[in-house]
Amino acid sequence: MSHPLEQARARITPGATYTVRDLAELLGVSVQSIRALDHAGYLPGAVWSSIPGRGGGRYTWAGQQLLACLDMDLDELPPLDHDRYDPSTLWRLGCACADCTAWHAKSTRAYRQRAREQRFPPEQREELLALVQAGTPVKAAAPLVGLTHHQVYALARTNAEFGRCLDTAGEALCVSAADSRCGTHAGYRHLTCRGTACRKAHAPQTRPAPTSK
């Protein structure tokens, strides 16, 4: 792993003075995590001093000292305690082991899903489904509710309930169920059918993701 301060290198001012709390804010971790780094030897050079206008005394580091820490040989230091700290904290401190990387990937997916849900709230979903049910193709209906069809299908892939509702509404877009080409790529291309069956035959990736059991 890289030194925990590496991610904040560009924001460390050589001539400034940093407290434990300053470093916690700089890295986005708790004060306890910074103290643990200090005790483990990742932040040598702290001195006890008072800071004008901030009251009392505390351990501080000069910015130049912190930048010097980035050149330390981390192989000589003990690894961060994975039994004591959550993967979220360890990832922010620079750990890229399999467990912390898996946590980060899962957290990123969850963040993106929340963003999709927020951009496309239930009220808009109902409005779009009603338009599709009434015969408006998704590509034309999406701008009417302030979205792109890519955003609609992105949510359909990750939100199984919405995906099922979109499939049901999309059945109303079928132009010729009696035609043998309906439900195939040919139906999508030659019949210009945007019904659910033809859409899935044309682009299976727009199917909603399966739910975990």
Side-chain angles (χ1 to χ4, degrees), residues 17-30:
T17 298
Y18 295 85
T19 66
V20 170
R21 189 169 299 280
D22 292 333
L23 293 182
E25 293 177 357
L26 197 65
L27 296 180
V29 298
S30 67

Side-chain angles (χ1 to χ4, degrees), residues 48-170:
W48 183 261
S49 62
S50 60
I51 302 178
R54 299 183 66 169
R58 63 201 72 192
Y59 283 106
T60 63
W61 292 262
Q64 192 61 49
Q65 288 177 304
L66 296 177
L67 291 172
C69 291
L70 298 176
D71 297 324
M72 295 174 58
D73 184 357
L74 300 186
D75 291 336
E76 298 181 357
L77 297 175
L80 297 175
D81 191 343
H82 283 62
D83 292 328
R84 182 177 180 183
Y85 298 105
D86 291 335
S88 58
T89 296
L90 294 168
W91 174 266
R92 294 188 184 96
L93 292 178
C95 182
C97 72
D99 288 343
C100 292
T101 299
W103 170 86
H104 177 66
K106 182 178 179 180
S107 176
T108 299
R109 288 194 299 270
Y111 171 80
R112 289 174 178 170
Q113 180 62 18
R114 288 194 299 272
R116 292 189 193 101
E117 301 278 351
Q118 292 172 356
R119 286 194 299 266
F120 194 5
E123 297 78 9
Q124 278 180 293
R125 296 175 211 170
E126 291 298 326
E127 186 178 353
L128 179 128
L129 291 171
L131 288 168
V132 174
Q133 182 68 47
T136 306
V138 173
K139 193 169 184 178
L144 298 178
V145 297
L147 297 168
T148 68
H149 66 286
H150 297 295
Q151 290 174 308
V152 173
Y153 287 129
L155 184 62
R157 286 194 300 270
T158 56
N159 184 311
E161 180 181 0
F162 175 69
R164 286 191 295 269
C165 290
L166 184 62
D167 283 350
T168 299

